[in-house]
Amino acid sequence: MSSKKKNLSSFEGESHTDARGMRIGIVTAAWNKEVTDTLLRGALSTLETHGVDKNDILLYEVPGSFELPQGASLVIQELQPDAVICLGCVIQGETRHFEFISQSVADGCMNLGLKTNVPVIFGVLTTENHDQAIQRAGGKHGNKGDEAAFTAIRMVDMKRMLKIQKGQPS
Ligand code: RBF
C-alpha cells in the first residue's frame, strides 16, 4: 500500500470503530525524539478519538528502535494489553546500521505478534533522511502514528468479532 499519493492518516468512512474498553500499550523509541514524539501524539489522539480511556493506554519508552520488540514483549508479558503499538524512526546514515535495525525491528514485531497473538503494530518510519521522516510525522504524508493506532484498533476489533462469532451457534 503506497502512501505516496494518498494521505493514509485520514480514516474517512472507517472512523466509527468503537474502541471503548480496549487496553493498548505504546512503546516509543527515544532516538529521533522530535519525530517519535509527534508519532506518539498522533497515536494518542487517534486512540482517544475512538474511545480508548486514557487509563487504558500503557506508555513506555525504549532507547532506540532496535529495543522496540523487546519492550513490546515485556509489556505483553507483564500487562497483557489487547495490542501494542511500536513507534520509532530509523533514518538512513552512512553505515549499514539502517538495514540491520529496520529489518530486525520489522521481524521482531511480526514474530512477537504471531507468537503471542497480541497484535504488535509496526509504527516505525524507515526513511532516507530527516525531511522524509518529518513529512510522515505530521507533515504532508500525514502522521503515521495515527495510522498505527487505527491499525491496532482494527486488529483488536477483529479479535472481538471472532470471539463473538465463535460464541454464536451456526
Ligand atoms: N535507533 C533508532 O531508533 N533510529 C536510528 O536511526 C538509529 N540509528 C542508529 C545508528 C547507529 C550507528 C547506532 C549504533 C544506533 C542507532 N540507533 C538508532 C539505536 C539503536 O536502535 C539501538 O538503540 C542501539 O543500537 C542499542 O541497541
Side-chain angles (χ1 to χ4, degrees):
M1 189 165 44
S2 164
S3 57
K4 255 191 178 155
K5 296 184 188 125
K6 190 180 160 210
N7 177 358
L8 292 176
S9 293
S10 59
F11 307 117
E12 293 130 64
E14 299 180 295
S15 58
H16 298 301
T17 312
D18 185 358
R20 277 177 299 175
M22 292 184 184
R23 287 177 71 244
I24 310 285
I26 304 183
V27 185
T28 307
W31 261 73
N32 300 312
K33 197 166 168 55
E34 72 286 5
V35 175
T36 60
D37 274 349
T38 310
L39 296 176
L40 176 58
R41 276 198 295 277
L44 288 172
S45 144
T46 297
L47 291 180
E48 286 171 26
T49 303
H50 285 81
V52 179
D53 192 295
K54 266 199 174 92
N55 297 320
D56 287 333
I57 302 175
L58 319 162
L59 288 178
Y60 292 90
E61 187 178 91
V62 292
S65 293
F66 190 77
E67 283 74 39
L68 285 169
Q70 179 89 72
S73 180
L74 290 168
V75 171
I76 290 172
Q77 180 184 290
E78 300 301 331
L79 304 174
Q80 293 89 43
D82 293 310
V84 183
I85 300 164
C86 293
L87 300 175
C89 171
V90 191
I91 298 177
Q92 193 153 21
E94 287 173 359
T95 66
R96 293 188 60 208
H97 264 81
F98 175 80
E99 293 153 45
F100 291 128
I101 295 173
S102 306
Q103 196 61 57
S104 307
V105 184
D107 291 346
C109 289
M110 174 62 81
N111 292 335
L112 181 62
L114 293 176
K115 191 178 93 182
T116 58
N117 268 337
V118 173
V120 177
I121 311 305
F122 182 67
V124 180
L125 300 178
T126 56
T127 62
E128 285 165 17
N129 54 50
H130 191 258
D131 185 55
Q132 284 180 353
I134 293 291
Q135 296 313 327
R136 287 157 181 78
K140 69 178 176 205
H141 288 292
N143 187 332
K144 300 301 166 189
D146 295 1
E147 207 175 299
F150 192 59
T151 304
I153 290 169
R154 289 187 63 176
M155 291 305 292
V156 178
D157 192 53
M158 181 186 167
K159 283 182 82 173
R160 282 181 170 177
M161 295 283 289
L162 284 166
K163 259 201 186 124
I164 291 167
Q165 285 165 358
K166 199 175 149 198
Q168 279 172 355
S170 51

